[in-house]
Structure formats: structure tokens, C-alpha cells
Amino acid sequence: MCDGIDLAAINASFSTFQTPVAAQYAVNAIRRGYERGILRGSIQNDPICARITGYDPGNPLDVTLRMSIDAIAYCAEHMPRWHSTVVNTYILREAGTDAVQEMAFGLAVAFYYLTLARDRGVPIDASAPRFAIIAGLHNDFFEEIAKLRATRRVWAKYLSETLHAQDERSKAVTISVHTCGSTLPAQQPVNNITRSAIQALAAVLGGCRGLDLSCYDEPFNIPSEEAATVALRTHALLQHESGIARVADPLGGSYYVEELTDRIEERIWTVLGQIEEAGGIREAYDSGWIQQEIDLSASKLEDGIDSSEIPVVGKNCFNDDDTIDDLLPTGLTYSDPNIEQLEWLRSYKARRDRGALRDALQALVDAARKREPNVFEAMMAAMDAGATTGEVTGAVRVAYGEPFDPVGMIEAPVELR
Amino acid sequence: MTGHHENIKAVVAKIGLDGHYRGVKFVARTLADQGLEVVYLGANQTVEDVVDATVQEDARLVALSFLSPDYRQHVPELLGALAAAGVTDVVVVVGGLIADNDRPTLERAGVRGIFGPATTAADIGRFLDDAFPVVTAPGA
């Protein structure tokens, strides 16, 4: 995937929860002669939000948390320019949380990872500067701006007062924004271009450090080339034509935005307090409380749209002209399975040195059985011996007493004890 | 105004690895609001899970949500497994992201309703009225 690309010149963002992907990237970079310390980029490495939103049903949290926290420890020591963790509050929002829950749940998750890493011997000032958040951006313009501003305040206070960070970089969290696909209805999809542009404007005014837009065909499809290009051009005209990126925090001092920021901050602290009372984020998730809160908020929003109390232009109001529905092509087709890739993977697996693969995967199982060794390092060694991301996860699962494959379709490539 | 459908059980599920559960929860809630008794299995179910639940609960409606092309495999499998289990009178519907060119195949295979991303609660209500007419006693 990275053939012909100078890895020293790029920032590679992996929009995946699979922690081993970061190990695989590092292994390939080292093979190509790069120092691991210069690698820039990010991986989501956020098993709790993945689990809450249904992205990772097969792996128990003990397994994924071990890989995640060890990745944080490894990156803090050896890959200091790499963002080891990007907490994904975007998917919490898309699952149905409101703005306050989105950030409160996400912050509780981030603080939990930082605490686990600290307990594993990683100083806060070694891990926190390489944490980031990817947030959603929903319809309520000023509430969303206030949400981003309040999140940075809560982060700074918690890092400073509770986790005792000293480094200023630990206290300033980077927030990227992905505009919420769930706000884009299937009715009159041309309006989604305008919607995403307004949301992106809020993201910039709220101080996002990275931004991408959901596309007008989001309700139907993986973005078409045309829809993705329109989203990129919207981004470009905000950045280059409008001049809004010229100054940081342009709404700072506005009586309305400051007041709203105060209120949202207070509400985020309240929810953080509720999570603490529930015994922490892990317990709040395990008990079903988080899921229940998400479902209640989702229902409230859906009921509001259904009763037209919450206006959605083209869907529950201004919906008398359906010619606008067909202004843009939005049909859905699926591509056929990529047989070539499957064949490549088969031949890749067949070419491996089975002895070396067995030794490295067994060493990973042995490392994961003990608390001390860093499994991220053992994962890298296994991948250097040819193991895939799925196989290293399988090996860690075996160490935790789980079957190699959660759905029982794949055998381990070598016998693991 | 759509009718109220009591004494009808619906099995609501997602089959396969696709975890996007928000839509299927909306459907489950909408069916419950219309008076149906909903057996919500949630995401990551197998064809066998859905067949077992349908038989055990004597469900008259099976509603499946897919935000991936996995329906191409799982829906024909399910219809075959239901027939093999002797279930012939159940209404099977699918929703989510179903490609236009797959619709005829699904309909020919026996899927009674296909619901895309523009579906509203009212659309679901109209479908239920048609599939499960509410019998009103004469003179009532």
C-alpha cells in the first residue's frame, strides 16, 4: 500500500481500531530502512469506543486493552512522533449520543487509557501529548462549537489536576472532526453539500486541527468519486477562499459562545461524575448503562424528527418538491469481492517460513500470558516473521484463553500452545 | 393513520459481522410502537440464530438490517433454512443499504419488503397494514 511513498514525508492516519495495523506499519517502515522514531501518523487504538459501537464484537476488552496499552507504552518510548491513540467520539455520536455524552464518554475513555498506561509505567507526559480525539460534528452550530471548546477545557483541567501532567503539550488535546454522516438524509441529497459545509465551518470555528467531511451520498453509499471530490473542494474553499482559518478561536469572547461553552463544560463534568459513581467507564459499559444512555438519546432524536419537532430540511419540512431528489446521482452498487487480493494473501501465507512464523507467534502467546512483556513488540516480531494482523490478534486471544478465531472459521496457521 | 398490530411477533436482527446497529434499533422500536411483540436479537447473529428464534417464538415477521453486501449471501441462506425448518408463512423483510440491482433477486427469492435509507416510521406502518391487515369485527 505504501510502495513508492516516502514514509519520512507523510503523516499516515489509519482509520481503524485494529492496533496491530500500527505494528505492521512500523515493521514495514523499518524493513525499508526508516528509523521508527521518525514515523508520523496515527491509529485509533480505542477498543472501548469500538466495542460500545459494535465494531469489535469478537474480542474481549481484556485482549484489546492489553494490545492498546502496550502500543501506547511502545510508542511513548520508540515512536514519539506517532499518535498512539485517537479516541473516536465520532462513532459515539453516530451511535446516538448527544453532544455532551459524546465528549463525556470519550473523555472518560481517554482518561482511562492514560491511567492504565501510567499504571504500566508510562509517565503521563510521555503518553498524553500523543493522544488525540476524532469528534463528530452535528447540526446545532453553536452547541457544536461550544462542545469542542469545552472539551479542550475539561481535558486541560483533568490532565493538570487529576493526572498531574507537567508538560503543556499534555494539557492541549488535538481534536480532529469528521462531520456527522447520520445528519445527512436520503431525501434531497443535494442539500447535504450545504449541510456538511455548515458543519465544517463550525468545526473550524471551534478549533479543530484536522477535518474531513461526510459526502452528499453518505446515506446511500461509500462515497462516489464525485461526492468525495465535492467534499474536498468544500474543504478547500473554507480553508483557502473564506479566510476563516486565519485566526485561532475567533469566537472567543463572544458572550453567547462563552456562556454556552461554560454550560456544556459543566454538563460534561456532570456526566464524568456519573461515570465515576458507576465505578468508572469500564464498569459503566459492562453494566449496560452507557448503551442505555446512547439508546435513549438516539430515540429522543428520532422521535423529534418523526414528529417534525426537530426540522430536517427535505425530510420532514420543505419536502414538497421531489424533483430535487434526483438532482445528483446517488444509486447504490456494490463492487464484487476482490478475488485478486484474496489470491495474493493466499500466496503470501504460503510463502512464509513456517518455522520462523511458529516461533514468533508462540513467543507472542508466551509474552501475552505474562503481564510484563510488551505485546506490541512481540506483535512486531511476529509480523516481521510474516504474521498478519488477524493472526497476531489470534495469538493474543489464545494467551487469554480465547479461541484463535472468535467466529471459529479460521485455524491458527501453526500450532500454538 | 396506521393500525395497531397486536399478537404478532417479529424477530429483528443483523446477520454477520456488520455492527452498525442504530438503524436496526430504530426498526425494532418502530415495530414495538406499532403494537408488535419484538424479539430483538441485535447484531452479529448467524442464520441459525435467526431461524431458531423464528421457530421458537412462532414469529410472523423477520426483519433484517444490512449495511454491507453480506445480504447477498445471508438472505438466500436464511430463506432456505426457514423453508427447511418448515416455516412457510413468515414475512421476511430487509432494510439498510440494498443495491438497486440486487432487489429483483431478493424479491424473487421471497423477500416481501425492501426498505432503503429514506424509509420513515410511517412507511413501515403502511407496510404492516398491508402485510397484516387488522381485522375489525363487524359493527365495531
Side-chain angles (χ1 to χ4, degrees):
Chain A
M1 187 175 76
C2 298
D3 277 356
I5 296 173
D6 179 6
L7 302 186
I10 63 162
N11 186 327
S13 277
F14 290 97
S15 177
T16 171
F17 291 104
Q18 305 305 325
T19 305
V21 171
Q24 196 170 47
Y25 185 73
V27 166
N28 284 316
I30 292 165
R31 273 197 199 147
R32 285 175 54 186
Y34 292 99
E35 290 281 339
R36 57 193 170 174
I38 61 110
L39 297 175
R40 288 187 306 137
S42 65
I43 181 130
Q44 292 187 352
N45 198 32
D46 176 6
I48 296 182
C49 290
R51 194 146 178 95
I52 292 172
T53 53
Y55 275 90
D56 192 11
N59 290 316
L61 271 180
D62 284 338
V63 169
T64 43
L65 276 170
R66 173 69 185 275
M67 295 195 289
S68 285
I69 303 304
D70 282 10
I72 295 168
Y74 182 89
C75 294
E77 199 176 340
H78 302 296
M79 291 164 63
R81 302 179 73 188
W82 184 267
H83 278 95
S84 69
T85 302
V86 181
V87 171
N88 193 332
T89 71
Y90 171 83
I91 49 168
L92 296 178
R93 191 59 176 276
E94 292 292 75
T97 59
D98 63 25
V100 170
Q101 291 168 327
E102 176 195 354
M103 299 330 300
F105 295 170
L107 285 164
V109 166
F111 299 156
Y112 181 60
Y113 297 152
L114 287 167
T115 307
L116 289 177
R118 183 195 62 193
D119 296 347
R120 192 143 172 56
V122 187
I124 291 296
D125 285 325
S127 55
R130 285 297 176 231
F131 264 52
I133 293 171
I134 177 149
L137 210 127
H138 216 269
N139 282 333
D140 191 326
F141 190 77
F142 286 112
E143 182 178 82
E144 292 295 301
I145 292 170
K147 172 189 90 177
L148 298 179
R149 299 176 89 243
T151 299
R152 285 192 298 272
R153 286 190 195 167
V154 174
W155 180 280
K157 281 182 195 160
Y158 194 91
L159 266 285
S160 172
E161 289 163 19
T162 306
L163 295 176
H164 307 294
Q166 302 296 319
D167 190 334
E168 289 306 313
R169 293 176 309 157
S170 300
K171 302 174 199 168
V173 68
T174 296
I175 305 177
S176 319
V177 161
H178 185 46
T179 62
C180 283
S182 65
T183 63
L184 307 179
Q187 293 85 353
Q188 304 183 4
V190 67
N191 297 334
N192 291 336
I193 299 173
T194 316
R195 254 185 210 101
S196 296
I198 295 170
Q199 293 164 353
L201 174 63
V204 176
L205 297 180
C208 71
R209 298 278 304 277
L211 173 65
D212 67 322
L213 281 69
S214 285
C215 301
Y216 64 76
D217 58 358
E218 172 79 17
F220 304 97
N221 216 342
I222 303 281
S224 65
E225 189 82 24
E226 294 79 11
T229 306
V230 170
L232 278 171
R233 295 296 179 268
T234 308
H235 196 287
L237 75 86
L238 280 169
Q239 188 177 359
H240 299 291
E241 276 185 25
S242 74
I244 54 165
R246 209 178 287 139
V247 60
D249 199 21
L251 298 181
S254 145
Y255 78 92
Y256 181 58
V257 171
E258 294 295 355
E259 168 71 20
L260 209 50
T261 307
D262 288 348
R263 274 195 235 164
I264 300 251
E265 183 190 346
E266 205 182 301
R267 289 172 58 203
I268 290 175
W269 284 116
T270 302
V271 178
L272 284 171
Q274 289 172 335
I275 293 168
E276 205 172 301
E277 265 170 45
I281 188 71
R282 178 85 193 258
E283 288 69 18
Y285 168 71
D286 285 340
S287 71
W289 183 78
I290 295 279
Q291 195 61 60
Q292 193 184 326
E293 289 291 292
I294 292 175
D295 291 347
L296 283 173
S297 291
S299 308
K300 213 171 124 190
L301 180 62
E302 284 151 8
D303 289 346
I305 293 171
D306 206 39
S307 67
S308 301
E309 201 178 305
I310 297 171
V312 179
V313 172
K315 181 170 177 155
N316 62 16
C317 55
F318 301 96
N319 54 355
D320 48 359
D321 178 6
D322 54 13
T323 55
I324 196 173
D325 272 343
D326 301 320
L327 221 49
L328 293 172
T330 50
L332 170 63
T333 50
Y334 285 112
S335 49
D336 289 325
N338 190 339
I339 302 296
E340 230 171 79
Q341 178 67 18
L342 276 178
E343 277 164 5
W344 178 88
L345 186 62
R346 249 185 223 124
S347 90
Y348 170 84
K349 286 185 169 177
R351 285 198 309 271
R352 300 179 296 187
D353 174 346
R354 293 185 63 80
L357 181 68
R358 187 188 56 236
D359 291 350
L361 277 177
Q362 186 60 52
L364 172 57
V365 175
D366 296 343
R369 278 214 178 98
K370 294 178 224 139
R371 268 194 68 76
E372 198 42 46
N374 189 313
V375 297
F376 193 80
E377 226 163 329
M379 282 176 352
M380 284 177 64
M383 285 167 152
D384 200 32
T388 63
T389 52
E391 288 166 351
V392 296
T393 307
V396 179
R397 292 172 53 86
V398 168
Y400 278 76
E402 297 285 327
F404 179 79
D405 173 11
V407 289
M409 289 178 72
I410 299 170
E411 298 270 323
V414 291
E415 200 191 330
L416 298 173
R417 288 180 319 275
Chain B
M1 187 62 199
T2 52
H4 202 69
H5 305 273
E6 278 170 25
N7 305 319
I8 292 174
K9 274 192 184 178
V11 168
V12 179
K14 286 173 71 65
I15 300 174
L17 293 175
D18 162 30
H20 297 89
Y21 58 66
R22 190 160 172 189
V24 75
K25 283 191 175 177
F26 171 78
V27 171
R29 215 163 56 84
T30 303
L31 294 177
D33 288 347
Q34 307 269 354
L36 281 82
E37 191 178 331
V38 174
V39 181
Y40 176 72
L41 304 181
N44 307 124
Q45 302 299 308
T46 63
V47 166
E48 291 72 36
D49 295 334
V50 176
V51 173
D52 289 350
T54 307
V55 172
Q56 281 165 22
E57 302 286 345
D58 198 16
R60 290 179 59 197
L61 176 68
V62 172
L64 303 170
S65 163
F66 293 93
L67 274 76
S68 84
D70 292 0
Y71 62 82
R72 289 173 172 174
Q73 182 183 342
H74 295 314
V75 170
E77 275 173 9
L78 176 79
L79 292 167
L82 283 171
V87 182
T88 50
D89 55 349
V90 70
V91 173
V92 176
V93 298
V94 298
L97 296 180
I98 310 299
D100 294 341
N101 56 1
D102 288 331
R103 285 173 173 248
T105 319
L106 291 176
E107 279 162 354
R108 271 199 305 275
V111 171
R112 287 274 299 274
I114 298 173
F115 297 89
T119 304
T120 62
D123 297 333
I124 294 174
R126 278 188 289 271
F127 177 85
L128 293 173
D129 285 351
D130 184 48
F132 306 106
V134 180
V135 182
T136 311

